[in-house]
Amino acid sequence: MHHQPSPQPQLTDDVIVLRPWRSTDALWLCEVCQDPDIQRWTRVPVPYAMSDATSFIDDLAPTTWRNGTAAHFAVTDAASGRGLGAVGLVAVDRDASCAEIGYYLASFERGRGVATRAVVLIADWALSDLGLDRLEIHVDPRNTPSAAVAERSGFHAEQVLAQGSDPRAERHDTVVFVRVD
Ligand SMILES: CC(C)(COP(=O)(O)OP(=O)(O)OC[C@H]1O[C@@H](n2cnc3c(N)ncnc32)[C@H](O)[C@@H]1OP(=O)(O)O)[C@@H](O)C(=O)NCCC(=O)NCCS
């Protein structure tokens, strides 16, 4: 895997800040991940325990940044620093110059454009600073709020993976949204 020697940056649009995860985020991350929509539509562990939050923050996020396979960010409020959710570049493939973006928000932080802001920030950074050429967002067509985030963030539906396998090992269609440089 490609070596990623630089420190993980902080990205902001002055409304939200994407920053590397901190050990002190574990409690709010664990609370956020109790949400049934997050457990249904993302790859977080189910059930989600404090040990899942601490191993994600202290081990998985920094390790995958260092080996260049992922870039996981806490989504926070720029004014207050409050934790709002998560966004990550995952499945980074330097040889193919592509990656996938995943995201979720605390249920009470939805409905005001935070996820769209987070996806735009991480996608712009991945295409410009990291120099990737192609980004994907994989959405179950039943997850209409997520498909709307992908479209508002400048991605377009490229193909449907019919009866693909899913994070929960259930087979169903997946819409692949794409943004290319
Ligand atoms: C998917 C998810 C992150 C979407 O959150 P969201 O808050 O609906 O998305 P956005 O941040 O783009 O906000 C969009 C809403 O804010 C409104 N909005 C207000 N200001 C806005 C702005 N400046 N920009 C964009 N939308 C804005 C939009 O009109 C929209 O409202 P609506 O819900 O009434 O249609 C959230 O539903 C979630 O966490 N789901 C569970 C996890 C999940 O499914 N993750 C994705 C897996 S592929």
Side-chain angles (χ1 to χ4, degrees):
M1 270 308 135
H2 186 266
H3 184 53
Q4 192 96 60
S6 53
Q8 190 177 342
Q10 180 167 295
L11 311 172
T12 186
D13 63 2
D14 295 329
V15 172
I16 61 166
V17 174
L18 311 187
R19 59 153 176 80
W21 287 95
R22 299 173 186 159
S23 298
T24 47
D25 296 324
L27 188 56
W28 70 260
L29 175 61
C30 184
E31 284 170 359
V32 165
C33 286
Q34 303 310 310
D35 176 65
D37 294 327
I38 294 174
Q39 298 199 355
R40 178 177 186 195
W41 298 123
T42 78
R43 298 168 203 181
V44 302
V46 177
Y48 197 98
M50 265 303 277
S51 57
D52 295 308
T54 55
S55 68
F56 171 73
I57 289 171
D58 296 332
D59 184 19
L60 188 126
T63 302
T64 55
W65 169 259
R66 280 195 301 273
N67 71 23
T69 56
H72 291 281
F73 292 89
V75 181
T76 65
D77 183 73
S80 66
R82 184 173 83 254
L84 308 175
V87 67
L89 201 60
V90 298
V92 179
D93 182 337
R94 285 287 185 172
D95 295 329
S97 199
C98 66
E100 196 183 320
I101 294 173
Y103 44 84
Y104 54 84
L105 292 181
S107 56
F108 42 87
E109 304 291 359
R110 296 172 193 163
R112 57 187 178 90
V114 167
T116 296
R117 287 179 177 281
V119 172
V120 168
L121 275 172
I122 199 171
D124 287 350
W125 170 75
L127 295 173
S128 60
D129 293 55
L130 294 187
L132 297 180
D133 294 317
R134 174 188 165 87
L135 301 173
E136 296 183 354
I137 301 175
H138 290 205
V139 181
D140 185 313
R142 294 170 295 181
N143 189 357
T144 47
S146 183
V149 170
E151 281 168 351
R152 278 191 296 264
S153 306
F155 286 66
H156 71 271
E158 181 190 62
Q159 58 171 329
V160 178
L161 306 177
Q163 295 293 305
S165 74
D166 111 321
R168 305 283 168 241
E170 164 206 342
R171 301 197 81 81
H172 61 73
D173 292 357
T174 297
V175 183
V176 181
F177 285 90
V178 176
R179 199 179 135 186
V180 290
D181 198 8

